Amino acid sequence: MTTRKQSRRSFLSNGLALGCSLAASPLLTPVTFASAPWENRLVVIILRGGMDGLDVVRPYGAREFAALRTGSGKDVLDLDGYFALHPSLARLMPLWQAGDLGFVHAVSTPYRDKRSHFDGQDILQAGIGLSAEGRVRDGWLNRLLQNVPEAEAETAYAIGRADMLLTRGKARISEWSPDAGLTLTPQAELLLEQIMHDDPLFRDAAMEAIMLSGFEAEMAGEAQPTDSAEMMDAMKGTMRGVRKGNRPESIAGFAADRLRGDTRIAAFSLSGFDTHTNQTKTLPKALDQLQTAILTLKQGLGPVWDKTAVVAMTEFGRTARLNGSAGTDHGTAGAMLLAGGAIRGGRVVTDWPGLSEADLYMRRDLLPTRDLRAHTGWMLRQLFGLDSHLLETTVFPDLDMGSNPGLIL
Amino acid sequence: MLYWQGERCVVSMMFDPERAEIRFGCGLSPRLAPAGSTSEMLARLKGPDEAARRFEIPRLPSIRKQALKFADARDAYFHAETKADRQAGKKRYKVHTRAMRQASIGWFGQTLLRRVHGEDGMRERLTAFWADHFTAVGRDEITRMAHPIYIEEAIRPYVSGRFIDMLREVTTHPLMLVYLDQNSSIGPNSSAARNRKKNKKKKSGLNENLARELLELHTLGVKGPYTQQDVRQLAELLTGLHFSIRDGVTFKPNLAEPGAETILGTIYGGDTPKMSDINALLFDLAVHPVTAAHLSRKLAVHFISDTPDPALIEAMTKRYLETASDLHAVYEVMLNHPSAWDFSNRNVKQPLDFVSSTLRALDIAPDHPALTKPSRLLGTFFGPMTLMGQAWGQAPGPDGWPEADEQWITPQRLAARLQWAMSVPYKLRRVLPHPREFVEVALGRDAPEAVRFAAGAAESRTEGVGLILASPAFQRM
């Protein structure tokens, strides 16, 4: 919250320095923030490309596993004697031991058979079943907020550059990408305020943008430029900033900063999970981003971590067998990752279907035994006290939430 | 124009060439004169398409060979059986992908150039409007690149003609058939479905996607007088429409649901399914009074204000119905209505409008590498526009880009506009115009005092030009 105060002050003091009329400054209107609707926090991470649940949470206790996944049995990070964690997530093991990390296995959205990223992501983020395909144009997180009368724009944040259906819709949700930073000299900032003064839409958005821009610079310990020459230098660095701002550290760091304040829900996506070839090389890169994002959240949230649930979900799992290029192709059921001090971790929650040929879906994919929307619905119910009827009809249309998997403490 | 009449501030609601160019065209240019009257604007729309001739975008037949080669390369790579075949296939596939991508980004450049150097800005704006109304986005590498071709074939030639003709072209265009899943829709009682069942092949059936969007988005509108039953019946009527890369778009009776269908109370078709049944339905939808009102409202919202004058919509709707969907006649009503010139409540430019009107005001030459080299086009325009919320040609859903101003001016999207305004003009023109002159070029006589002041008070040309472009006066239209 310090960045906000500082930027607002600098925006103001620039005005004072040039003798603007104080009474006319829109910035002197006290800005009040309504109290947030709940105390608990939720972070939704969309994993793009179809994460291979069988490689991330490996059922190494299953007799068939070694044959399906040759070479995956050697470096084992045991979780519960049956499942083991992918070695690239080793830095998360302390969270598992503390009960702050858990998994849900053999789950999927209602999407079946066509296995397209495009449709799979749409269904995941719209939160719909196949019966509503094409009829729903907003995301489940947005529909949730449409039904929380106390929600303000600040209540939820969509972070990063990727366009997410998840947060799209009628409810106002803030969005920001840490790489969208503005680089303005104090003089330009002042003149900008003057030319936008009479247009509230532009004025308020610009003010907010300048405030939020301070965040990334502060994280990196950069000073704001003071003259045009410095501004030009800073702009040449913008492309570096674009790359930096897309890093999971920046995105998760920004999310944590917001969640320490009035924000209650943050959503972002990570990509790189479409591992068709050479999976032992490609998947670790994607998993390292996920691991970094979670550890950055934990560090940034401080004591708020205890009230936080993080859920990472993907559009589908991958084939049970490796393909000819040591990768896996688009499949059906996969795994969901949970983290945070608010979750009941240290467990792999699953109605495990087994891995024998006959157990597999269409003899090729892990069989989905439950709709991942049910788990998400129960999390929302327990974290925010939402009504099941709302969850089963509006947030996740035509969902039967079933029994409580007890994911939240 | 605002002027004082005694003690009252009065808004003049009359045609003004500069305002016409800003609101209905692609912005002011230091070189190209705006039309002098509404009749001149309307005449330009009826005249030959000079911009398309000068900055060419191909149509499907001319790139068919290339697309087929690409499809072959892709198949060879995906179905390779040996490692060597796979590697060779991959190489060839990559070469073709790269070539197609470069071509496609070049067509984006042509689209910008038409806006920067064309004399008929309204044609460019109408093309973008109707392309958005009939949003169709590719679903794979080949069809993704077909977006500019789709606009060139199915939209642009019809923007000043009759809506029914555009509707027919769009509904039977390959990209639309692929985008809205018509290609995988099969009549449940068609001979193809019966054969599949007999041979125990994969289940297939009716897909309602195109039928639903045809009613909900393309014609009647979401509040229109149709039911789920109409959607279902229309989906059955549309079966048979099919596209393949080798045969093009054809009507395949073996895929079509036999029997007649009832849509909005009218019976279409009979025992033998035919293309003409679909055409009859499209005609009835095009001239439906609810369609007329829906389209008139959309045009007014897009070109004039998010909250348009109901009297204007009524007048446009009436003309539309009198002329059996003559769009040129509807534009004439819009341009000659006083509320078209009310500048008290202006729309925000979408990123494409913002970027292209900047280039027009800066008079960037047609052969500038930023507008012709694929990598420069991506870095200078396509990438920044994506940050502004508009990845060109990739609208988020079949309902296209949002119209509401607040959707575009969020902190993140505005930051991208400001950053671009402050940094890109300097990269395009080493010697930027003097801000005091540029403010007149970009904003015309309406330039607000605060912007004139900022233009003079900025510390550098870069900053001065950037501030003018950042001003709401320039960002609105």
Side-chain angles (χ1 to χ4, degrees):
Chain A
M1 299 307 274
T2 51
T3 54
R4 161 188 311 220
K5 280 183 197 133
Q6 271 179 0
S7 308
R8 201 163 269 177
R9 229 181 2 249
S10 76
F11 207 97
L12 240 186
S13 60
N14 287 333
L16 288 172
L18 284 207
C20 280
S21 155
L22 264 182
S25 170
L27 304 169
L28 277 187
T29 322
V31 184
T32 52
F33 290 96
S35 57
W38 329 280
E39 263 309 292
N40 284 332
R41 269 67 162 183
L42 172 69
V43 181
V44 181
I45 308 176
I46 298 292
L47 306 172
R48 290 179 191 270
M51 181 179 78
D52 184 9
L54 285 175
D55 203 7
V56 175
V57 184
R58 302 170 174 177
Y60 79 122
R63 202 166 27 85
E64 302 87 349
F65 185 67
L68 289 169
R69 300 297 182 95
T70 42
S72 285
K74 282 168 280 173
D75 34 10
V76 161
L77 285 174
D78 178 60
L79 290 173
D80 61 2
Y82 189 81
F83 290 106
L85 190 62
H86 193 288
S88 294
L89 294 179
R91 286 196 292 142
L92 296 184
M93 277 311 276
L95 295 185
W96 171 267
Q97 278 133 17
D100 285 359
L101 179 72
F103 298 93
V104 179
H105 218 323
V107 288
S108 74
T109 68
Y111 183 55
R112 292 289 181 278
D113 300 346
K114 283 197 281 183
R115 301 183 179 88
S116 125
H117 294 300
F118 184 89
D119 296 335
Q121 278 287 346
D122 276 359
I123 283 174
L124 175 73
Q125 298 192 33
I128 54 174
L130 290 174
S131 60
E133 203 185 355
R135 263 179 259 181
V136 175
R137 300 197 198 287
D138 47 11
W140 64 260
L141 205 48
N142 192 289
R143 284 197 303 281
L144 171 105
L145 288 154
Q146 288 169 27
N147 288 283
V148 178
E150 307 90 333
E152 308 253 323
E154 185 93 348
T155 303
Y157 253 95
I159 303 167
R161 283 198 281 161
D163 185 31
M164 283 193 295
L165 173 60
L166 180 69
T167 50
R168 218 185 292 143
K170 268 187 285 179
R172 272 203 65 196
I173 289 185
S174 297
E175 35 167 42
W176 185 252
S177 176
D179 63 0
L182 264 172
T183 325
L184 297 171
T185 64
Q187 168 80 342
E189 197 173 306
L190 163 72
L191 292 169
L192 194 66
E193 197 244 305
Q194 289 180 349
I195 59 178
M196 291 190 172
H197 185 275
D198 296 332
D199 195 320
L201 175 67
F202 279 86
R203 185 188 66 214
D204 296 350
M207 196 174 91
E208 187 87 16
I210 289 169
M211 248 157 44
L212 294 168
S213 296
F215 175 78
E216 185 73 358
E218 199 170 273
M219 284 249 304
E222 288 164 10
Q224 288 295 308
T226 54
D227 62 27
S228 312
E230 274 187 37
M231 187 185 78
M232 289 317 299
D233 284 346
M235 278 173 182
K236 283 179 197 148
T238 306
M239 284 323 286
R240 285 198 299 278
V242 165
R243 285 192 291 273
K244 203 171 60 189
N246 256 340
R247 289 199 326 225
E249 291 92 328
S250 302
I251 288 177
F254 180 79
D257 180 73
R258 295 289 102 187
L259 290 164
R260 277 202 316 271
D262 290 328
T263 298
R264 292 295 175 267
I265 299 174
F268 56 89
S269 67
L270 297 173
S271 51
F273 289 92
D274 195 17
T275 49
H276 284 285
T277 52
N278 214 359
Q279 189 155 320
T280 51
K281 294 263 163 45
T282 46
L283 187 58
K285 285 184 202 149
L287 289 177
D288 190 55
Q289 288 191 52
L290 176 60
Q291 170 172 264
T292 302
I294 289 166
L295 294 172
T296 308
L297 280 170
K298 180 172 180 348
Q299 196 194 4
L301 285 168
V304 178
W305 173 257
D306 287 338
K307 299 176 197 166
T308 301
V310 181
V311 55
M313 52 179 77
T314 192
E315 67 263 40
F316 41 62
R318 309 188 71 83
T319 47
R321 289 174 201 87
L322 292 178
N323 63 20
S325 50
T328 46
D329 297 319
H330 302 177
T332 311
M336 201 154 71
L337 176 148
L338 308 175
I343 68 141
R344 181 177 285 132
R347 303 177 305 154
V348 179
V349 174
T350 184
D351 300 318
W352 188 245
L355 290 178
S356 75
E357 173 104 13
D359 294 332
L360 297 178
Y361 178 71
M362 315 266 285
R363 298 185 172 264
R364 72 193 285 278
D365 305 335
L366 181 63
L367 179 79
T369 51
R370 202 166 171 189
D371 188 335
L372 62 81
R373 298 179 304 158
H375 303 85
T376 316
W378 277 107
M379 286 177 77
L380 297 174
R381 188 180 149 89
Q382 290 190 271
L383 283 173
F384 304 142
L386 295 171
D387 174 51
S388 312
H389 181 72
L390 174 76
L391 291 165
E392 290 180 326
T393 55
T394 307
V395 179
F396 299 119
D398 305 326
L399 171 70
D400 175 5
M401 280 169 61
S403 60
N404 185 355
L407 303 172
I408 300 295
L409 281 174
Chain B
M1 285 284 162
L2 277 170
Y3 60 94
W4 292 97
Q5 197 176 62
E7 292 196 349
R8 258 174 2 114
C9 179
V10 179
V11 186
S12 142
M13 308 237 270
M14 277 167 50
F15 171 84
D16 172 278
E18 283 183 352
R19 287 185 171 186
E21 199 76 333
I22 291 169
R23 174 164 280 179
F24 297 100
C26 296
L28 299 176
S29 152
R31 204 165 35 79
L32 302 162
S37 63
T38 53
S39 41
E40 198 181 336
M41 290 171 77
L42 291 161
R44 286 184 184 185
L45 281 177
K46 274 280 182 222
D49 190 348
E50 274 303 317
R53 191 190 53 78
R54 193 164 158 211
F55 303 107
E56 210 182 329
I57 294 173
R59 304 209 174 178
L60 207 49
S62 62
I63 66 144
R64 194 170 164 272
K65 256 191 195 156
Q66 197 186 351
L68 279 172
K69 269 196 209 155
F70 177 84
D72 287 344
R74 186 181 59 175
D75 291 349
Y77 170 43
F78 283 8
H79 303 298
E81 283 181 3
T82 67
K83 203 172 172 188
D85 281 356
R86 200 179 170 88
Q87 269 167 357
K90 187 174 182 178
K91 215 169 156 187
R92 225 176 108 222
Y93 174 68
K94 272 194 170 165
V95 169
H96 281 280
T97 309
R98 196 180 141 81
M100 297 262 315
R101 276 201 194 136
Q102 297 226 342
S104 182
I105 192 76
W107 304 330
F108 166 62
Q110 301 291 72
T111 304
L112 287 176
L113 279 168
R114 291 172 179 185
R115 288 171 161 253
V116 180
H117 293 285
E119 294 210 64
D120 184 7
M122 191 166 176
R123 191 192 301 251
E124 306 308 328
R125 295 282 312 287
L126 287 167
T127 301
F129 171 83
W130 289 112
D132 184 63
H133 178 76
F134 288 115
T135 291
V137 180
R139 295 209 166 206
D140 60 22
E141 202 75 57
I142 298 185
T143 50
R144 248 174 213 284
M145 296 179 212
H147 179 73
I149 297 174
Y150 161 70
I151 298 176
E152 205 66 5
E153 289 181 331
I155 305 285
R156 193 171 176 103
Y158 304 97
V159 295
S160 287
R162 290 191 316 155
F163 179 76
I164 173 62
D165 296 325
M166 198 186 323
L167 182 65
R168 213 176 276 137
E169 283 304 312
V170 162
T171 310
T172 55
H173 194 276
L175 194 61
M176 187 61 84
L177 297 182
V178 171
Y179 180 56
L180 293 180
D181 303 317
Q182 186 57 36
N183 244 19
S184 48
S185 185
I186 294 175
N189 300 304
S190 63
S191 58
R194 284 199 310 269
N195 279 339
R196 285 186 194 202
K197 212 168 165 187
K198 206 161 51 190
N199 300 332
K200 298 212 165 73
K201 272 202 180 160
K202 225 169 83 181
K203 229 176 78 188
S204 55
L206 206 59
N207 188 307
E208 295 176 359
N209 215 356
L210 178 62
R212 183 176 304 109
E213 307 307 14
L214 196 50
L215 297 173
E216 176 184 328
L217 299 174
H218 300 165
T219 59
L220 301 173
V222 68
K223 293 183 184 124
Y226 62 90
T227 63
Q228 173 56 30
Q229 184 61 19
D230 290 315
V231 172
R232 185 94 196 159
Q233 290 279 296
L234 177 50
E236 288 183 6
L237 182 70
L238 292 174
T239 51
L241 260 184
H242 192 263
F243 165 72
S244 77
I245 195 154
R246 281 169 217 285
D247 304 337
V249 174
T250 47
F251 185 82
K252 291 194 184 304
N254 66 321
L255 300 177
E257 181 70 3
E261 281 89 18
T262 307
I263 298 143
L264 305 177
T266 304
I267 298 169
Y268 298 92
D271 290 342
T272 323
K274 330 181 267 308
M275 187 59 211
S276 57
D277 303 333
I278 297 175
N279 283 331
L281 172 275
L282 291 177
F283 182 84
D284 290 348
L285 282 179
V287 298
H288 197 290
V290 177
T291 300
H294 175 222
L295 299 179
S296 299
R297 186 184 160 75
K298 254 192 107 164
L299 276 164
V301 165
H302 183 81
F303 280 95
I304 295 170
S305 129
D306 286 359
T307 49
D309 180 357
L312 166 69
I313 298 170
E314 217 170 285
M316 291 165 72
T317 306
K318 187 163 167 273
R319 193 84 187 106
Y320 180 101
L321 290 170
E322 284 164 1
T323 59
S325 83
D326 180 352
L327 296 172
H328 193 263
V330 175
Y331 308 151
E332 186 178 3
V333 171
M334 178 167 75
L335 292 176
N336 288 322
H337 196 274
S339 73
W341 308 100
D342 174 4
F343 262 44
S344 59
N345 187 10
R346 302 163 65 191
N347 276 333
V348 168
K349 288 177 182 173
Q350 293 187 4
L352 176 63
D353 300 315
F354 168 56
V355 164
S356 56
S357 61
T358 296
L359 298 178
R360 192 171 168 94
L362 287 169
D363 202 21
I364 303 301
D367 58 353
H368 193 293
L371 283 162
T372 49
K373 286 210 165 84
S375 63
R376 295 280 305 269
L377 275 162
L378 279 173
T380 318
F381 308 113
F382 188 88
M385 276 170 60
T386 305
L387 290 177
M388 297 174 204
Q390 193 169 41
W392 188 76
Q394 296 166 23
D399 48 346
W401 298 110
E403 284 291 350
D405 294 346
E406 307 83 67
Q407 298 276 328
W408 297 107
I409 304 305
T410 65
Q412 176 175 350
R413 293 174 172 193
L414 179 60
R417 287 186 188 222
L418 301 185
Q419 192 73 358
W420 187 83
M422 293 285 180
S423 56
V424 168
Y426 155 85
K427 287 182 197 151
L428 294 175
R429 267 184 66 167
R430 284 289 150 169
V431 184
L432 284 173
H434 193 289
R436 258 195 270 268
E437 289 153 24
F438 186 66
V439 74
E440 308 296 328
V441 169
L443 299 176
R445 289 189 311 273
D446 281 349
E449 207 37 57
V451 183
R452 286 209 167 95
F453 173 79
E459 283 174 344
S460 64
R461 285 186 180 215
T462 306
E463 222 171 85
V465 167
L467 284 164
I468 294 161
L469 299 172
S471 70
F474 187 77
Q475 306 257 358
R476 290 186 182 273
M477 62 200 315

